[in-house]
Amino acid sequence: MSIADRKEREKEQRQRDIIDAAEKLFFSRGYDNVSMEEIAEEVELSKGTLYLYFKDKEALFFAIVLRGARILNAKYSECSRLKITGLNKIRAMGHGIIEFSQGYPNYFRMLSYSGSERFCNVDNDDAKEILELTNRNISLMREAFEQGMKDGTVRDDINPLEMALYLCITSLSIMNLDPRWKKALKAAEINQDRFIEDFRRFIGPSIESSRKANAAFSTSDM
Amino acid sequence: MSIADRKEREKEQRQRDIIDAAEKLFFSRGYDNVSMEEIAEEVELSKGTLYLYFKDKEALFFAIVLRGARILNAKYSECSRLKITGLNKIRAMGHGIIEFSQGYPNYFRMLSYSGSERFCNVDNDDAKEILELTNRNISLMREAFEQGMKDGTVRDDINPLEMALYLCITSLSIMNLDPRWKKALKAAEINQDRFIEDFRRFIGPSIESSRKANAAFSTSDM
DNA sequence: ATCTCTTATGACTACGAGTCATTAAACAAT
DNA sequence: ATTGTTTAATGACTCGTAGTCATAAGAGAT
């Protein structure tokens, strides 16, 4: 029994070693510019061996993305457990995404890339788990919106799930700018961290409760 | 002279024919699932000939994306010339993006894809023109924000260029959802057109002027 | 009729993903 | 220890595709 256990552990370690090697190379040179042969060299195995552990290159990629997705989900869960108002939970989650994108920029980039057209056909276990984690994040944010609606800190005229989606999607797109927008920012001499900070100030009024003060200037038909 | 002219015209026509063929195939099956050989067959030329007209597959891709970028820019320009308030220009531009994404979904998709990590290394004349058009769109929207600040229809506590970027980036990301978000929408039984419409209602308060009514509930430290 | 210059061709190279028959190594049984 | 069996690893192989290039075809000039 112990031998089978050890073999199991060794197998998992090999798998981790392969992911580590691939991660190192993908992070530094990008998924499309790294060959399986190079990953094999990095981890000191033959190319064929990689395929004993991963169905194909995409599966290896998604194993890495999954690591990132787990980190992000852990942050969201943390925020959701705080004993604060709904609005503040949402703020905390926003801060969480920023921390993630700055603390793990490569995971963040790959998480975004994994959602691009390039990978729209993939269907493996890790991709399913990533989807699952994504859905859980949305739910956590939806719950924060629902709480905020109850405690009066968040506007209550839009479906909380929709708001959660808006906030997730827009936040991610602001933090993972494509090269064209980055160039535009640079040309305008706007620092990227500053840009992200200002976004919180920009998006605030779309979230916060201000119906009463705002009633005279109804925005419902924008 | 006339002969050289005719040859020039023929050459341009060939180029268009090739772009047409590639477009047809890319639209229906995606850039990564179409080979140069197939494009050559579609346009009834040999593969080698394609390379007389386009440096590589990416250059051909960007020629298609450029078509889309020009259409979108035309829409923005149109909106910018309207004689209406700044806020309404911004609304018109928002509507313009929606029209573009619904009227030319394939150009829209490819325009988004061209900004992904997949193509971050490309550097050809068409890519430069696309960048140029993108910058012009941002400027048009910035001008609308500036006008709106002057005429009092738009909030004036954030840099207009930044606001233009926020609105462009977030709008595009909402309209070109990656598969994971699409699944989440479907699971929640939210229609995608509805989702886009509601976004306008969601984002409104972040744009519209409501400082006076809102002063008691300052949002500046979100 | 011949020459020249442009355009087109398809066989060819290079490269990378993924496969598979073979080998090596670990473990089990005697 | 010896032999057999199962599992893990290998690298040579196939296959598909991007991109090249020597060669051919053809249009226009002389």
Side-chain angles (χ1 to χ4, degrees), chain A residues 31-32 58 113 116-121, chain B residues 22 25-36 38-39 57-58 61 109-110 113-114 116-119:
Chain A
Y31 176 79
D32 296 298
E58 285 179 349
Y113 193 35
S116 82
E117 176 160 344
R118 181 83 171 74
F119 300 101
C120 63
N121 295 320
Chain B
L25 295 174
F26 288 164
F27 281 1
S28 72
R29 286 164 40 212
Y31 176 79
D32 296 300
N33 302 315
V34 174
S35 72
M36 289 299 268
E38 287 173 306
I39 297 168
K57 195 181 174 189
E58 284 180 351
F61 176 73
R109 226 185 50 229
M110 284 178 77
Y113 193 36
S114 73
S116 81
E117 176 160 343
R118 181 82 170 73
F119 299 101

Side-chain angles (χ1 to χ4, degrees), chain B residues 112-150:
Chain B
S112 294
Y113 193 36
S114 73
S116 81
E117 176 160 343
R118 181 82 170 73
F119 299 101
C120 62
N121 297 320
V122 300
D123 179 39
N124 59 53
D125 286 351
D126 286 350
K128 283 199 185 73
E129 191 175 338
I130 292 164
L131 183 63
E132 174 66 29
L133 289 169
T134 303
N135 285 334
R136 237 184 285 166
N137 289 344
I138 296 170
S139 284
L140 291 173
M141 198 171 260
R142 192 203 64 228
E143 286 160 17
F145 271 103
E146 284 166 351
Q147 184 193 331
M149 287 177 179
K150 274 190 196 127

Side-chain angles (χ1 to χ4, degrees), chain A residues 150-163:
Chain A
K150 276 192 195 125
D151 68 26
T153 51
V154 164
R155 75 191 279 192
D156 60 3
D157 64 329
I158 294 185
N159 177 345
L161 175 60
E162 270 188 303
M163 284 216 273

